[in-house]
Amino acid sequence: MTALTKIPVTVITGFLGAGKTTLIRHLMANPQGKRLAILVNEFGTVGVDGDILKSCADESCPVENIVELANGCICCTVADDFIPTIEALMALPQRPDHILIETSGLALPKPLLKAFDWPAIRSRITVDGVIAVADAEAVAAGRFAPDVAAVEAQRAADDSLDHETPLSEVFEDQICCADIILLSKADLAGEAGLAEARALIAAETPREVPMLAMTDGVIDPRVILGLGAAAEDDLAARPSHHDGADDHEHDDFDSVVIALPEVADPEVLSAAIVRLAREQHILRVKGHVAVTGKPMRLLVQAVGERVRMQFDRPWGAEPRQSRLVVIAEHHHIDEAAIRAVLGA
């Protein structure tokens, strides 16, 4: 790549827990001879995804090429965070061949695409493509793509139901901006679930977009990298609920960081997280936990009632501090109630 060649950027969007980090880990392990750089934007003050990716760093994507922004949505902090970070990545001693951006689960991708027209970077970088990761099992259950006829019937009966929920708006903005949609957790959805998810998403997208099934983040990198979409020049074809707005807010969502004592039984913690999803409508829980008698830290990743735990690495010199980020719609965040359930 010459100094005059624009660096391609792939924007990876998707709802909370859809599998974006797992996909990026797969791309890091299969770089196709490219030197990668990664920008991770998280919702909440404790970085989990960035830490996971840094643990996978290698020659193709060293630790210094992985940057985490956890102090706000990058589509809302373009001048303060995004532009300087992109400039820093482009100024690395070894220029990256490709940059991957993992947006937060609550980010709207279209405002981020507009940032690529900023004079400081527009001649040096281009959006190779927007990849939306969608949880096939969740979509098949209709959580973010409600039945159109049923919605219209409710609308006719009650004007207060005329607006979609914030979650569905975020989901639709993400898939409508995509060049490719990856249906994650295909093994959990099954063939019938995948077919249902494809139909529901197709009904919401204004143009035909390839939809590919994926399990554990495994997809041929040649399929999703090198698209040459120049998405920053194609904004009109990517409609958003927020078109015409100068900015957007994430006040519908909130997060709280919960510090925990050492956990004696991870299964008890898992049951508590399931209870949070059922009783308090918690969307996402993630973090690291110290387990009594175990030298390795326990990585916790939960989406609704689906909880995954694994020991990822030894604590070493790092303090054995258990902290979980809990994310939900704003009116469902009751820190005292959450602490009570988690035993904090």
Side-chain angles (χ1 to χ4, degrees):
M1 178 182 294
T2 70
L4 296 178
T5 304
K6 287 187 176 184
I7 298 178
V9 175
T10 296
V11 175
I12 300 176
T13 186
F15 201 68
L16 297 163
K20 301 185 295 297
T21 303
T22 303
L23 170 63
I24 292 178
R25 289 179 67 180
H26 174 69
L27 296 175
M28 291 173 66
N30 299 274
Q32 307 293 302
K34 299 179 185 295
R35 187 173 181 83
L36 302 177
I38 299 170
L39 193 163
V40 183
N41 184 213
E42 293 207 63
F43 187 81
T45 57
V46 177
V48 176
D49 297 340
D51 197 34
I52 293 172
L53 295 176
K54 287 178 182 177
S55 70
C56 303
D58 57 17
E59 290 184 1
S60 297
C61 188
V63 170
E64 60 267 25
N65 283 31
I66 303 173
V67 180
E68 182 179 11
L69 297 178
N71 60 338
C73 170
I74 51 177
C75 57
C76 300
T77 58
V78 170
D80 293 335
D81 293 318
F82 175 67
I83 300 298
T85 301
I86 288 294
E87 288 182 315
L89 290 176
M90 291 190 292
L92 288 168
Q94 286 188 267
R95 193 168 181 244
D97 299 311
H98 203 114
I99 298 174
L100 306 176
I101 296 179
E102 178 185 346
T103 71
S104 79
L106 304 176
L108 305 178
K110 190 168 181 178
L112 178 58
L113 297 189
K114 294 178 180 178
F116 285 83
D117 196 40
W118 277 54
I121 62 171
R122 64 185 176 190
S123 65
R124 305 158 60 199
I125 200 166
T126 183
V127 182
D128 180 68
V130 178
I131 310 300
V133 183
D135 184 321
E137 185 184 39
V139 174
R143 297 175 198 167
F144 310 118
D147 182 279
V148 176
V151 172
E152 288 298 333
Q154 290 175 329
R155 216 176 255 168
D158 186 347
D159 289 340
S160 69
L161 299 177
D162 190 47
H163 299 289
E164 298 178 73
T165 68
L167 296 183
S168 67
E169 287 191 5
V170 171
F171 179 73
E172 289 167 17
D173 275 20
Q174 290 172 349
I175 62 174
C176 288
C177 196
D179 295 289
I180 292 178
I181 297 170
L182 299 181
L183 299 173
S184 66
K185 304 168 188 172
D187 54 331
L188 299 178
E191 288 302 319
L194 285 171
E196 181 70 11
R198 286 190 174 98
L200 289 169
I201 290 175
E204 300 294 338
T205 52
R207 56 197 169 97
E208 188 171 346
V209 177
M211 284 183 266
L212 307 175
M214 175 180 72
T215 297
D216 293 330
V218 176
I219 192 78
D220 190 331
R222 295 172 299 177
V223 175
I224 62 174
L225 302 183
L227 300 180
E232 68 274 19
D233 297 327
D234 187 34
L235 296 178
R238 304 167 191 265
S240 164
H241 286 280
H242 299 80
D243 283 341
D246 292 332
D247 54 19
H248 69 278
E249 301 293 337
H250 294 304
D251 291 342
D252 294 312
F253 308 96
D254 204 351
S255 68
V256 62
V257 179
I258 305 296
L260 299 173
E262 287 200 0
V263 172
D265 185 352
E267 290 302 318
V268 173
L269 175 62
S270 178
I273 293 172
V274 171
R275 182 181 165 193
L276 285 178
R278 291 177 179 172
E279 298 179 3
Q280 299 188 43
H281 308 289
I282 298 302
L283 300 171
R284 186 86 159 94
V285 177
K286 56 184 180 178
H288 299 103
V289 172
V291 179
T292 303
K294 301 293 184 180
M296 299 186 73
R297 65 182 192 177
L298 184 69
L299 171 64
V300 178
Q301 296 268 29
V303 183
E305 296 183 29
R306 188 189 305 143
V307 184
R308 297 181 65 178
M309 296 181 174
Q310 66 183 71
F311 290 100
D312 63 348
R313 67 172 175 80
W315 286 99
E318 180 184 355
R320 289 172 62 90
Q321 295 179 340
S322 300
R323 293 196 299 173
L324 296 177
V325 181
V326 180
I327 304 172
E329 292 185 73
H330 182 77
H331 58 285
H332 287 143
I333 290 288
D334 181 337
E335 184 170 347
I338 292 169
R339 289 183 179 279
V341 172
L342 292 176

